[in-house]
Amino acid sequence: MLLGLDSDFPGLMADVNVSGDGLVQLGAVRPEAAELLAELITAGLQAELDGSESEKGVSPRRRETPAA
């Protein structure tokens, strides 16, 4: 909802299992919405990894822009 994607995921539901682990049910989604979600997850994981590397004193990897 914070990203304004609630209309792309109308069946989105969050819950926890008996162990307290988070579960997310997407429901039916358009292929474009699923691709966007995959990109957001990938970006979030990369940001988390970059943050972990910075905390360890390792420089984050720089992204190179392809030559035009």
Side-chain angles (χ1 to χ4, degrees):
M1 293 180 118
L2 293 173
L3 295 173
L5 300 173
D6 47 330
S7 63
D8 290 315
F9 300 97
L12 186 66
M13 294 176 51
D15 203 352
V16 294
N17 64 15
V18 294
S19 301
D21 298 322
L23 302 172
V24 176
Q25 180 177 345
L26 296 178
V29 296
R30 297 176 300 113
E32 296 85 8
E35 185 176 340
L36 176 60
L37 180 60
E39 290 172 6
L40 290 170
I41 290 171
T42 301
L45 289 172
Q46 187 61 53
E48 187 175 315
L49 287 173
D50 289 346
S52 295
E53 290 173 355
S54 295
E55 289 175 8
K56 293 179 185 176
V58 176
S59 301
R61 283 178 258 152
R62 292 184 183 182
R63 293 189 178 131
E64 293 184 20
T65 306

